[in-house]
């Protein structure tokens, strides 16, 4: 295990989010979000609060970023990477069906797009997000 500059173990950041989806006459559309701070396209997610379950974190973060209340479905693959601050990050994801609400642009997310999964995959900025989306569209 590596250590931080101060000699302490590195921080592991826990986060959760979802592949938010809705039915269409031709199948499904999934939601991708634009984060102006990073100028990227991703799926809604965020850091877990102390004492919060991953499932509650996923619901809260999706609603905070998108205004949408969602029902948790199947858990998808997780994603782990080093964030922009050099911290190890583990993100758990769920399929999340929209139950209500509406998007309002905010500081974290200024635009959303509902797209067929293939178009969403092409727009996503990170391969790790494409892998999560693929676990939704092609569950094993």
């Amino acid at each position: 295990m590596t250590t931080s500059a101060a000699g302490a173990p590195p921080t592991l950041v826990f986060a959760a989010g979802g592949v938010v989806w809705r039915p269409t006459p031709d199948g499904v559309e999934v939601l991708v979000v634009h984060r102006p701070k990073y100028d990227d396209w991703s799926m809604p997610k965020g850091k877990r609060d102390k004492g919060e379950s991953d499932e509650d974190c996923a619901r809260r973060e999706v609603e905070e970023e998108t205004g949408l209340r969602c029902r948790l479905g199947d858990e998808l693959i997780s994603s782990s990477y080093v964030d922009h601050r050099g911290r190890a990050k583990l993100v758990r994801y769920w399929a999340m069906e929209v139950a209500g609400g509406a998007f309002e642009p905010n500081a974290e997310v200024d635009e959303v797009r509902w797209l067929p999964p293939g178009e969403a995959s092409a727009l996503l900025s990170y391969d790790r997000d494409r892998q999560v989306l693929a676990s939704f569209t092609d569950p094993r």
Side-chain angles (χ1 to χ4, degrees), residues 17 35 38 47 92 105 110 116 123-124 126 131 133:
R35 302 182 308 167
Y38 305 107
K47 291 185 277 307
R92 291 178 68 191
D110 63 350
L123 183 60
L124 289 168
Y126 307 105
Q131 292 170 359
L133 178 57

Side-chain angles (χ1 to χ4, degrees), residues 18-50:
V19 174
V20 178
W21 67 276
R22 66 183 182 188
T24 67
D26 299 321
V28 299
E29 290 179 324
V30 296
L31 185 78
V32 292
V33 300
H34 182 260
R35 302 182 308 167
K37 180 177 180 179
Y38 305 107
D39 191 25
D40 65 4
W41 287 93
S42 188
M43 288 175 287
K45 65 182 176 301
K47 291 185 277 307
R48 184 177 70 194
D49 289 340
K50 186 175 182 169

Side-chain angles (χ1 to χ4, degrees), residues 1-12:
M1 173 188 288
T2 61
T3 58
S4 68
T11 302
L12 178 58

Side-chain angles (χ1 to χ4, degrees), residues 15-21 30-35 41-47 57-68 70 91-94 96 108-109 111-114 124 129 132:
V19 174
V20 178
W21 67 276
V30 296
L31 185 78
V32 292
V33 300
H34 182 260
R35 302 182 308 167
W41 287 93
S42 188
M43 288 175 287
K45 65 182 176 301
K47 291 185 277 307
C57 174
R59 282 188 287 267
R60 177 183 55 77
E61 284 290 342
V62 166
E63 186 169 357
E64 284 178 4
E65 292 186 1
T66 70
L68 300 172
C70 296
V91 186
R92 291 178 68 191
Y93 287 94
W94 282 264
M96 298 178 74
E108 289 188 79
V109 174
E111 182 181 352
V112 299
R113 293 187 188 169
W114 285 102
L124 289 168
D129 289 341
V132 172

